[in-house]
Amino acid sequence: MARLLLGVSGGIAAYKALEAARLAVKRGHAVRVIQTRASERFVGRASFEAITGAPVLRSEFEPDPARGAYPGEPVPERVPISHLALVDRAHVLLIAPATANTLAKLAHGQADNLLSAAALAAGCPVVVAPAMNSRMYTHPATVANLEVLRARGVMVVPPGEGDLASYSEHGIGRLAEPEQLLEACESLLTPHPLGGARVLVTAGGTREPIDSVRFLGNRSSGRMGFALAREAVRRGAEVVAITAHVTLEPPVMVRLKRVQTAAELAGACRRELAHCDVLLMSAAVADFRPLGPVDGKLKKDEGVPQLELEPTEDVLSQIAELRRPDQVIVGFAAEYGPDAVSLGRGKLERKRLDAIVINDISRAGIGFESEDNEVTILAADGTERHVPQSRKDEVARAVLDEVERLRELRVGLDGARADTRSPARI
Ligand code: CTP
């Protein structure tokens, strides 16, 4: 549980800040809110007060009835000396939505309302989530302001693309979803054992074209890969995800590279390999592809096509040749039946991996298209860990625990634990 200070500036997306506050309270955080005057035109303070159970502040000159206390804390006997008591005691400051105006103030160190003053005084990590019209978001002034903030260590949760508030406008500028905002804040609150590490995750299932409309695919949803990416971010890693076909919203703070086929995935892995310290190869990569896919659409009056298949390249096996000794490479194996673990062990050795995560796909309710998984993690040094059926987030934690252990073995305790993040300053 953390003390989360939520700053709400004036945009229509302020209603989503209500949901973010509700979610934060539900997850056990103590939330206080500072609103700008403009934000009150969109959402009234009574709504935030009802959700957080604490008074909302707006002005530097307004006394705080809770005297700087967060929900669940006793109200101090004395009035705090500074109007900055709330930010002094915050574990994280989240500004959502952050309007173009508020971002400009933060970038230039203005302090003309309680929110911008609190941001300037923040000693805790700061997260900003821009939301505005796409032309304002892409204006060079806003782009430059965000760059300035990023360079100072502020975490920027980028807006999404889609329908905007203004009638019939479509573009980039929608506030990130409340779940993503919380994810970003929580990633800054947990210790960062993977701080400074670069983690490459592959996720989803590849699709191999038969013709321009049909393909050979598989049932992977990408859920396991995204859970791994999210957990790596939470532990402080810089994460790149190479995603084949996925059916889910990607995690925030992850650089995405989208691919379709096994060949594209192989190319993307080769390009990224040199830049990563850890590879988590959870994508379901096709082993075969149709030989000579047809441009256009196969017609049924031309008869049933005879599909000839050819093998794809085995990405992991090739990586064994290219890898640096300090890199940690983890494979995944979906095996069928009671021999799953021994089949997986064979792949661990053949593909010269540091570890392999094996699940038995003959079991109902786990693995493909499911929220849950049950796995055995085998490491090349002989350790074996069974993770009983649990949500994929839980399995991801176990896999990342193993990655941390392997990194300590490969690069030594000091190197593996180097947390290069410094606290953000506005
Ligand atoms: N893999 C890969 N390239 C491929 C196929 C698989 O890099 N062309 C990777 C997967 O991402 C996974 C691991 O190898 O991390 C094991 O994948 P799996 O499909 O279980 O093994 P295969 O080697 O393809 O063997 P088989 O399908 O015959 O069991």
Side-chain angles (χ1 to χ4, degrees), residues 281 283 285-287 312-316 331-335 347 351:
M281 189 75 178
V285 189
D287 291 326
T312 58
E313 63 181 281
D314 189 318
V315 187
L316 268 186
F332 288 73
E335 301 292 355
K347 285 180 191 170
K351 301 195 184 202

Side-chain angles (χ1 to χ4, degrees), residues 102-110 120 128 140-156 424-426:
T102 290
L103 291 173
K105 288 186 200 176
L106 302 184
H108 295 280
Q110 281 190 24
L120 200 57
V128 297
T142 306
V143 172
N145 289 335
L146 282 169
E147 242 356 276
V148 166
L149 294 174
R150 273 198 195 92
R152 289 192 201 133
V154 171
M155 182 183 270
V156 179
R425 293 306 308 268
I426 282 288

Side-chain angles (χ1 to χ4, degrees), residues 27 183 186-193 227 229-237 239 393 397 421:
R27 294 209 201 166
E183 218 173 83
E186 287 175 350
S187 77
L188 292 170
L189 294 168
T190 45
H192 289 147
R230 203 172 282 122
E231 186 58 25
V233 167
R234 206 168 277 143
R235 294 178 190 220
V239 181
D393 314 0
R397 279 196 274 279
R421 287 188 185 198

Side-chain angles (χ1 to χ4, degrees), residues 198-209:
R198 292 159 304 178
V199 173
L200 177 62
V201 180
T202 65
T206 58
R207 290 178 161 187
E208 306 302 325

Side-chain angles (χ1 to χ4, degrees), residues 309-391:
L309 303 178
E310 63 176 347
T312 58
E313 63 181 281
D314 189 318
V315 187
L316 268 186
S317 300
Q318 294 209 346
I319 277 171
E321 313 294 325
L322 306 169
R323 63 177 289 178
R324 296 193 311 268
D326 61 297
Q327 289 175 312
V328 171
I329 312 283
V330 179
F332 288 73
E335 301 292 355
Y336 195 92
D339 295 334
V341 173
S342 64
L343 290 168
R345 195 182 301 281
K347 285 180 191 170
L348 170 74
E349 288 159 9
R350 257 195 330 278
K351 301 195 184 202
R352 289 188 277 158
L353 306 171
D354 295 297
I356 193 156
V357 180
I358 306 159
N359 68 317
D360 176 0
I361 50 172
S362 69
R363 304 242 339 261
I366 61 165
F368 287 134
E369 296 165 336
S370 161
E371 298 273 341
D372 285 4
N373 215 345
E374 174 170 347
V375 303
T376 300
I377 306 172
L378 297 184
D381 66 357
T383 60
E384 177 170 337
R385 174 174 174 192
H386 183 73
V387 185
Q389 182 168 350
S390 26
R391 289 181 57 84

